[in-house]
Amino acid sequence: MGACRLCLVEVKGTSKLFPSCVANIHEGMEVLTDTERLRKHRRVILELLFAERNHICSVCVSTVTVSCRRWPGAGRDSYQPALSQPALAVDASHERFTVDHNRCILCTRCVRVCAEIEGAHVWDVMGRGIDSIVITDLHDEWGASSCTRCGKCVQVCPTGALFDKSKIGSDHPSIPIFCLT
């Protein structure tokens, strides 16, 4: 939780920035979500994430969704990766869904929704630093895992790393369906 840092917010009365997904809240707290300082930090964080993995926007299932348009001005050119970008695995073993580790920003939304909402605890993170990837069960293929096939993880993925094989681009909902019910 709080790994990707894209949800940074400012809290009045402190100079520190907090990831909103794990910040402790209290009565009277004033939270700023859209300031120039936050936009600058988010842009840098996103550019660093782009430098770490092989994000190819032209073929991304999230290119036309709200989750991608939130980061104007961010690009791959500002930061060059220190190491050559790895070609990470794509797991299409599941009958409905695919995971493309090249697009993952390790936000752990899939891990959290699977554990906290679905209660299945299928997803987890393996490795450290640049070698970290999300995995199912004990690094089984997704199709052979204990996945309940609910699709909640796919719905909360902000980058299209997890996607429904039957939907592309604008067919993907920008707000998870289970949040609307």
Side-chain angles (χ1 to χ4, degrees):
M1 295 193 299
C4 73
R5 293 293 198 242
L6 290 176
C7 65
L8 286 178
V9 294
E10 286 186 70
V11 176
K12 281 196 174 180
T14 180
S15 61
K16 194 173 170 185
L17 298 176
F18 297 92
S20 65
C21 63
V22 293
N24 293 323
I25 58 169
H26 55 81
E27 183 91 23
M29 183 178 190
E30 284 189 57
V31 179
L32 303 171
T33 60
D34 189 23
T35 66
E36 185 56 38
R37 180 178 179 211
L38 288 170
R39 284 190 293 275
K40 177 183 169 196
H41 278 80
R42 288 176 185 153
R43 192 174 306 115
V44 168
I45 291 166
L46 187 64
E47 288 172 349
L48 289 168
L49 289 169
F50 278 159
E52 187 175 283
R53 300 278 172 106
N54 293 319
H55 297 274
I56 304 168
C57 296
S58 62
V59 294
C60 180
V61 296
S62 290
T63 298
V64 296
T65 65
V66 173
S67 61
C68 192
R69 281 190 242 151
R70 289 185 184 155
W71 315 110
R76 300 180 59 126
D77 300 331
S78 297
Y79 295 92
Q80 294 300 319
L83 305 170
S84 63
Q85 295 175 333
L88 299 173
V90 175
D91 179 358
S93 63
H94 195 286
E95 69 271 8
R96 290 180 52 206
F97 310 120
T98 300
V99 58
D100 182 349
H101 294 285
N102 296 291
R103 297 178 182 167
C104 181
I105 61 168
L106 298 169
C107 67
T108 68
R109 285 181 174 188
C110 55
V111 176
R112 292 176 60 200
V113 76
C114 189
E116 298 171 15
I117 306 295
E118 183 63 17
H121 301 274
V122 173
W123 291 101
D124 207 344
V125 178
M126 176 182 84
R128 298 185 71 151
I130 197 166
D131 296 323
S132 297
I133 61 167
V134 291
I135 60 167
T136 54
D137 292 339
L138 295 173
H139 200 37
D140 294 336
E141 287 187 332
W142 195 359
S145 72
S146 60
C147 176
T148 62
R149 279 82 175 135
C150 70
K152 290 179 176 78
C153 55
V154 174
Q155 293 176 20
V156 298
C157 182
T159 62
L162 304 176
F163 62 92
D164 187 326
K165 291 177 182 178
S166 68
K167 297 179 180 174
I168 57 169
S170 61
D171 290 342
H172 278 269
S174 58
I175 299 174
I177 295 167
F178 66 89
C179 289
L180 300 173
T181 56

